[in-house]
Structure formats: structure tokens, C-alpha cells
Amino acid sequence: MSQVEKKAGLLRRTSSSKKPLKEKVVLMYDEIFAKEDPAKNNPRFWDELFLMKVNLEYLESKLESVDGEEVQRIQDNINSLFHHCVQALGEEHQIKVVNALQTLCALFRGVHQKNKSASGFDIINMLMGFDKAEQRMKDLMERLDGLLCGDSSESLKSLCLKLLLCLVTVTDNISQNTILEYVMINSIFEAILQILSDVSSRGQHGYDAVVLLALLVNYRKYESVNPYIVKLSIVDDEPTLDGMGMVVHQALTEYNRQYKDKEEENQGGFFSTLTSMVGSMFIADVDEKLSVQTNEAILLALYEAVHLNRNFITVLAQSHPEIDIPVTPTTPTPTTPTTPLGTTPPSLDMMNNPELPLDPNLQTSNLLITFLKYASIVMQDTKDEHRLNSARLCLIILTCIAEDQYADAFLHDDNMNFRVNLHRMPMRHRKKAVDKNIPSRPLVCAVLDLMVEFIVTHMMKDFPMDLYLRCVQIIHKLLCYQKKCRIRLHYTWRELWSGKALINLLKFLLSNETTLLAKHNIFHLALLVVNLFNMFITYGDTFLPTSNSYDELYYEIVRMHQVFDNLYCMVLRVSTNTGQWKEAASKVTHALVNVRAIINHFNPKIESYAAVNHISQLSEEQVLEVVRSNYDTLTLKLQDGLDQFERYSEQPKEAAFFKELVRSISLNVRKNVSLNTLSQDVLLKEFSTIS
């Protein structure tokens, strides 16, 4: 049978000379698209329609093909179809409910596809009649709520969520989807929470429920009061918050597991041999193969939970065993086109096993660890827009976490130690870290490692300035907490200061001044970096683990003095000239006062020590000896505001980013909903025995 025949909803050709026969449901659709009321000559028309297997393609294409004048002519019939769909959702006959849900999907998609340029009011009018829309949508949302909260079959609940996802994502910009006003008024928030709080329903529908909630929260969030934002911000029910965390955790775990499998697959066998033979030629190719599509929808859900609900912070720290769970679907699923890694919900086995047997030898994990591992994957490659957005969202989530007092408390808790195996970008000058060498430490160490890793690995031509600013600000916020609470974290701070990370970053900014200034205010980043050093210089005695750490800080500043000298020359030059960057450069000049005082104080002392002792090159220990013996005569200026920071605010700074992010997620969800809508054959088989 040809594609044309399929689309027209044909059953078969009777002979070459006769016209093909149409399915009965297609003939009934044709009656709806005629001017007359289809029930006029057949009072049982609507009852019969919902007993027929829906032909989604034909109905959608028919709606798309209707022109302006025809819309007016058949509007009453379309309104009637919508009304009877909603009525059918209350039927005891499950096949009618299934067919009504799928027909509504086709209606929402078809009408929006046809009327992309039409106003939301016109679309509402065509679907249900503007005068009746409020009651129709109230009835629809009540029926869907009843199906989701009642004892309906899992397939029906799944289809209800698919319909809601379809409704939310029919427009590219969800805030232009006027029908969602009715979803705001007739909230299904409690139904979503019920799904998340119940272990069984969460296993089946948690992923769709969480994504749906994340999208609804973003409807006109800057223009009016969104009830989903208000309600999400005050949820304090532990099972519900745990359920939400479990869904996000399992989705990210599944992504991490698949990435690791892919990584191991690419490292083995012939490919590995070939790579070692030709050096690093294929590093970029390996990266490309491993940088699989990110799951921005689930990240958005995590962000909204962390950002809006302070009670959710406790969920980040809840421990459970880290274990590879076999991925075997527990229910038959229809064959659909393969979707990209990370965009599909985790397997039911994973979702149905929130409590696993504890083994004293088993490494424990939590949502935050899983998120950090996920972030270490997506932050490796920021060349493509999706990965850049994902990396940015990961850093925004970490910013919110770093600002939260409770989160900071468990991040720094010395009694909560974890071994976090972050993914590291393949680089020529370093060996791949062995998992067993990773020490068990407070979680803040993993956050700092992730920030250092990003700083070290992204100094490139297409410089991700925004991400660097966020990384440095996260480090600063963590230091402010350590200073405030006098926490002496046993961390290798030298990794952060050294020529590999912060100092090397300043060196990179100096080397690429002209190129970078054409796009970015590099002085803002330089100021943040210099002020990190000022934090250590001014307050290091309150949070550095030992006096040796303080000595090492001064050693690194003196050792790399050329970088600071060059930075001072550059900012002095720019600040004394008239130009756009005069004020920004001037701030860096003032910020360098103590760093320069240290260099100018210790350098002559070190040179003098070398001359007196006839040593051409001092060892590190000899330099440290000079430093220790000359602290007393060093004079530093007290700088104000080093331990202060601007708190994160989504609006107005991040509004444009989230608007585009939600648009991208909406397009992806719409595509996957159309691919993954439950197979009609599976549904009809399930309900064929129900009378």
C-alpha cells in the first residue's frame, strides 16, 4: 500500500478499476468536515465514533488542510467533536476513553499546526467555541485529574500525561499558548504530586509528570502569577519531594551509565589500538561520539525544584547505594524510532526500586553526586548550543546550591564523605585518573574539583566567558561560607591557585587580550579571579587547613609573579586611556594592591637569600623558608566586601536564557510525544476484553 493511501486512511484496493475503500472512521471524519451536523441523520454518531480506532494521521492532516472560509463553515462540528471527546472521557467503556484521548491529541496538534499565525483566541474559538471554552476546559481538566488520581489502568494514565504534554508543547513558545490559561485555573498540580509520591505510579509515570511540571512552571512566569510556581515553592511533603528527586536521580543515573558504557566501548579493542598508533588525531572524534544529547528537560525540573523549594535541598543529600541496575522493561513497549540518549525516561526497574539492600562495602551515592557526574560529562564539550545550554544550567543549579545555607552545611560536613568519580576531558598532557585513587571526602571537594576541571580545560578560541564567570562565582560563594563558619577544608588548594588553573586563566586572558576584548569584558573575569586570591590572602587564616597552605599560597603568587606583573601593566595601560574598558580595568588595578605588595616584598628577599647563599636556583623549600621568615615585615591593605556576593536572581538576568531553553525543551518533548504516544494496537488489545 502506498504512503498516499495510508495517509488517506485506506483499507485496500478492491480492483484496479474501482476506487479504494475508506475506513469507516475516515468516512465519519469526512462527515465532521462537512457543513451538516453529523449527528443529524445518525443520533448514535458520536457513540460509534469513539468505538472506532482513531486514524491520527488522517484527522491531523484534515485539520491542517482546512482553509479560512472552511474553518467558519465547520467550526460548530469541530466544537462538537471536542465536546464529545471530553464527554467520552467519563465513559466506563475504556476503549472510548482511549480513543477520546487520542482524538484530543490530534485536535490540539492539527488545529495549532494549521493556525500557527492565528491568535490564541482564534484557536480556542475553533476548538471549543470561545463562549463555551471555560466550561469545556474545566470539564476536560477535571476528567484528566480523575483519570490520573483514580484507579484507571497505567496505560490510560500514561496517555493522559501524553495528552497534557501534547497540549503544553503545541506552540514553540509555551507562553503564547493561550489554552494554558485554563490549565492554570484548573490546576492538576495535586495529581502530579500524587503520581510522584506513590512508588508504583512514579515508576510508570514519574518522568512525564516531572517534565510536565517543569514546563507548566515556565508558563508566563515573568508576566503573571503562575499557580504552579506558588504551589511548588511550598511543598513540604517528604514522600513527594523524595519522589521528585528519585525521578531526576534515575534519569541522570541512566544517562551517566549509558555514557560510561559508550566510553568503555570506544576505549576498547581495535579503536583503542588505532588511537594509540596515530596519537591524538581521533580525540575530537571520540569526544563527538561520546557527547551524546543532553537531557535539558530533566535538568530544568531539577533547577526549578532547587530554585523554588528550599525543602528540596534535603533531597539532594539523601544517600542510597550506587549500583548498576539491569535495564529490563517490565511491560511491553511499542516499537518506536530510536530517541537520543538521555531524552527518554529511565527503565521501570530503576524507578520501582527506590530502596535497595545496603552493603557496607558498597559506595553510597545521592542525587547531588549523580548530578555532579552528569555535569562533568556535559561540561566537557560546550561547542554545540545544546551542550552549552546544559553546561550553563548545571552551573546555575550549582550557584543556587552554593548559596543555600543548608546545602553548604551538608557539602562541608566532614561526617559525610563520598568518593566522587568525575569524568575528565581527554587531554594530551595528563593521564586518565584511576577510579580507585579518588579519596573519600566531603562533597564540596567534588564541586571544587569540577570547577577546577572546567577552568583548566576550556581556555580556547571560542571562549565560554559566561561559564567561566559562573565557575569563579561558585568558588567564591563556597569560600564565603567557609570563612563565615571557619571551616578548614582539607582540599588541595594549590590545584586551584597554580599555573594550571586560576593563574593560567589570567595568563590566557593576557595572551588573547585583543581577540577576547572584541567579544567580552575580560576585566570583570580578571577582577573575580584576583579577588579569589584576595579572599585567601585576607581571610585564609580562618579557613585554610594549615599554616603550610598559607605559605604555599604566597609561594605560588611569588613563583608566578610575572603573570600578575603583566596583568598590572595591562590594566594600568587600559585604565589610564580613555575608552570603553577604563572603569573595569581600573577596578582590577585597585584589586591587585595586595598581590603586588606580596610580590614586591618577597622577591627582593628571595633574590638576596640566593645571592648570600650563592644559589642560582632556589628549591621550593628554600623559597618557603624565606616566606615564613619575612611575614612580620609585610604590610597589606584591608579590602572591603571580599566576603560579600550578589545573590542569584533569575529575573531579569537569566530570563532570556530560560525562555530559549524552554522553547528548545518544548520542541524536543513535542517530537518525543509524537514518537512515543502509546501504540494504539497495544491499548486496543489491553481493553478489547472490557465491555
Side-chain angles (χ1 to χ4, degrees), residues 210 237 255 314 331 376 392 427 441 457 473 542 547 657:
V210 160
D237 178 60
Y255 178 95
T314 60
T331 54
S376 73
R392 187 175 179 183
M427 294 180 80
R441 305 172 296 172
T457 55
Q473 286 165 339
T542 65
S547 58
F657 166 69

Side-chain angles (χ1 to χ4, degrees), residues 31 40 48 52 227 394 429 566 611 633:
E31 286 186 61
K40 187 177 179 182
E48 290 173 12
M52 306 267 175
C394 284
H429 63 271
N566 292 344
T633 50

